Amino acid sequence: MPRAAGAARIEWADGNMPVLRSIRERFAAERPLEGLTVGACLHVTAETGVLARTLAAGGAHVVLCAANPLTTQDDVAGALAEAVVHGRRGDDPAAGVREVVAARPDIVLDDGADLLSILHDAPLIGGAEETITGLVRVRRLDLAFPVLAVNEARTERLFNDHYGTGQSTLDGILRATNLLLAGRAVVVLGFGWTGMGVARRARGAGAHVIVCEVDPLRALDARMEGFEVMPALEAATRGEVFITVTGCRDVLTARHFARMRDGAVLANAGHFDVEICLADLGPGEEVLPLVSRHPQPDGRELNLLAAGRVVNLAAGEGHPAGVMDMSFANQALAVEHLTLNRGRLSPGIHPVPEDIDREVARLKLASLGVTIDSLTEEQRRYLGAWRP
Ligand code: ADE
């Protein structure tokens, strides 16, 4: 794809990322990252390009590789002047990770912990992790430096996991299949922040949504929201489209495939391609780009999207720029925070400081032209006055 298309895509994303733009303007004036190398393993999209621009404006040398073999937008990778980009769509991400490690980064930004799992005991200033799945891994590492849990910032979680994955998962499925969602039985497996977003958006599109969940509180939450809740084996007989969003492996296996109706569509919105058991599904034939048809022993055929990889990025463009604006604003401010507090933060996982979260929300509201009230002095005193 031509470089000009990539440049246009980055410009378009930039126009929809006002929070990051205002941070970039400040970074360009203050240069807080002067002389640092930031190594990033992210999905190489137009929105990531805008983050790279922002870090570069702050003085950083940015080295970027892909967090997934199918999510690099090659036109963006070719057009991105503000970062050294390793790898193209379809390449083994491990090779790119090795290049970023070889660049000896001072700070790493991860989406799935591929860099942190290698560099966790290196003498880095710090790191930041973008995803729930990545944080599960980082929590098991013996860290020699601070890592900010960007995924747990309120501005990240609400926007990325809920609105971002909710909309972009359906977008990826629709781009690949052009299915009508209205009136269709859609089974969402997992009702965490992301599954909740997918379920709500699918319902908004007119689908009949069935939720499968192993956590009783989340299952109850889904039921209270009006979704049908049932075990996956039961849902297997009912669904027409199945979307896994659990972060766990073997969510859909031979036992489920054996009960599904002919022509069912299977998609995964989790980070890794382990949620739909590909070995159980058996070999398939590509019938449309990113749609493979898998014959089953009794003659039924099941349709798998994007080889079971994260469908919103592999079949679509991932979260919209308006969503990545929030998460990458957190990332940019996390890099600045780690730099300003170099040597002062203990090794291990840290929450994103509350004032960064609030600043991101404040900038987003400002970009939307929304103003809000603040507490009066009396109200503040009232709230702080109660004593046992
Ligand atoms: N993760 C999900 N959507 C993304 C996007 N558009 N860019 C980078 N990382 C993402």
Side-chain angles (χ1 to χ4, degrees):
M1 215 182 260
R3 184 177 290 252
R9 241 181 180 176
I10 298 172
E11 278 313 316
W12 180 261
D14 201 338
N16 286 291
M17 300 179 88
V19 176
L20 213 47
R21 194 178 330 119
S22 68
I23 294 171
R24 186 166 71 235
E25 283 160 11
R26 181 172 66 74
F27 274 14
E30 298 175 3
R31 305 281 290 176
L33 314 179
E34 196 69 68
L36 294 182
T37 296
V38 176
C41 181
L42 300 170
H43 301 293
V44 183
T45 64
E47 294 75 29
T48 300
V50 180
L51 171 64
R53 272 188 178 174
T54 307
L55 299 173
H61 171 56
V62 184
V63 189
L64 180 60
C65 66
N68 182 296
L70 288 190
T71 59
T72 297
Q73 297 169 356
D74 283 345
D75 52 352
V76 167
L80 188 56
E82 291 86 353
V84 178
V85 186
H86 293 288
R88 291 295 184 267
R89 186 177 166 106
D91 289 352
D92 176 6
V97 167
R98 281 195 295 275
E99 297 283 356
V100 173
V101 169
R104 302 173 70 85
D106 301 293
I107 292 180
V108 297
L109 304 182
D110 239 341
D111 186 312
D114 288 338
L115 286 174
L116 287 167
S117 10
I118 297 174
L119 289 170
H120 61 97
D121 53 3
L124 303 191
I125 296 174
E129 171 56 53
E130 170 88 11
T131 62
I132 302 178
T133 298
L135 279 175
V136 170
R137 297 180 146 201
V138 177
R139 291 212 154 83
R140 306 235 164 91
L141 296 172
D142 207 3
L143 291 167
F145 48 80
V147 172
L148 294 187
V150 167
N151 181 264
E152 290 173 0
R154 284 159 73 199
T155 42
E156 153 95 17
R157 179 150 276 186
L158 180 64
F159 272 68
N160 257 44
D161 299 347
H162 187 197
Y163 297 119
T165 313
Q167 175 171 309
S168 62
T169 295
L170 297 189
D171 177 43
I173 293 172
L174 296 183
R175 285 189 200 205
T177 62
N178 199 20
L179 282 181
L180 177 67
L181 287 176
R184 212 169 280 267
V186 172
V187 178
V188 177
L189 298 113
F191 199 71
W193 283 92
T194 41
M196 190 188 293
V198 173
R200 286 180 178 163
R201 293 296 175 249
R203 176 165 62 189
H208 176 75
V209 179
I210 298 170
V211 170
C212 306
E213 172 56 65
V214 294
D215 178 294
L217 281 171
R218 289 180 178 166
L220 185 59
D221 198 4
R223 168 73 190 207
M224 293 301 164
E225 272 219 31
F227 295 111
E228 243 193 299
V229 179
M230 63 184 70
L233 276 179
E234 208 177 311
T237 62
R238 299 269 307 276
E240 297 172 273
V241 177
F242 293 82
I243 308 172
T244 53
V245 210
T246 68
C248 196
R249 60 175 299 162
D250 298 335
V251 179
L252 292 177
T253 63
R255 294 193 308 146
H256 305 93
F257 302 147
R259 293 170 163 229
M260 287 178 184
R261 69 177 71 189
D262 186 36
V265 170
L266 315 176
N268 166 48
H271 186 86
F272 292 114
D273 60 344
V274 296
E275 305 208 13
I276 300 170
C277 182
L278 302 178
D280 284 2
L281 195 55
E285 173 205 2
E286 187 166 80
V287 289
L288 285 176
L290 297 166
V291 183
S292 55
R293 184 162 291 164
H294 298 252
Q296 299 301 295
D298 60 2
R300 284 170 309 116
E301 294 178 317
L302 302 177
N303 296 303
L304 176 70
L305 306 191
R309 295 200 182 271
V310 58
V311 73
N312 66 336
L313 280 144
E317 290 180 58
H319 301 331
V323 164
M324 294 316 290
D325 195 23
M326 310 287 281
S327 41
F328 284 163
N330 276 295
Q331 291 279 23
L333 296 178
V335 173
E336 183 184 36
H337 180 73
L338 289 165
T339 310
L340 293 176
N341 292 285
R342 184 179 191 154
R344 282 200 288 268
L345 299 171
S346 57
I349 298 184
H350 293 253
V352 170
E354 176 92 17
D355 53 347
I356 290 185
D357 220 350
R358 284 181 182 280
E359 173 67 0
V360 172
R362 194 188 63 73
L363 289 169
K364 189 71 175 181
L365 282 171
S367 77
L368 296 168
V370 175
T371 53
I372 58 172
D373 295 319
S374 43
L375 293 172
T376 64
E377 209 30 56
E378 289 75 46
Q379 286 176 314
R380 218 181 280 282
R381 269 203 300 277
Y382 171 81
L383 290 175
W386 190 84
R387 295 277 177 277

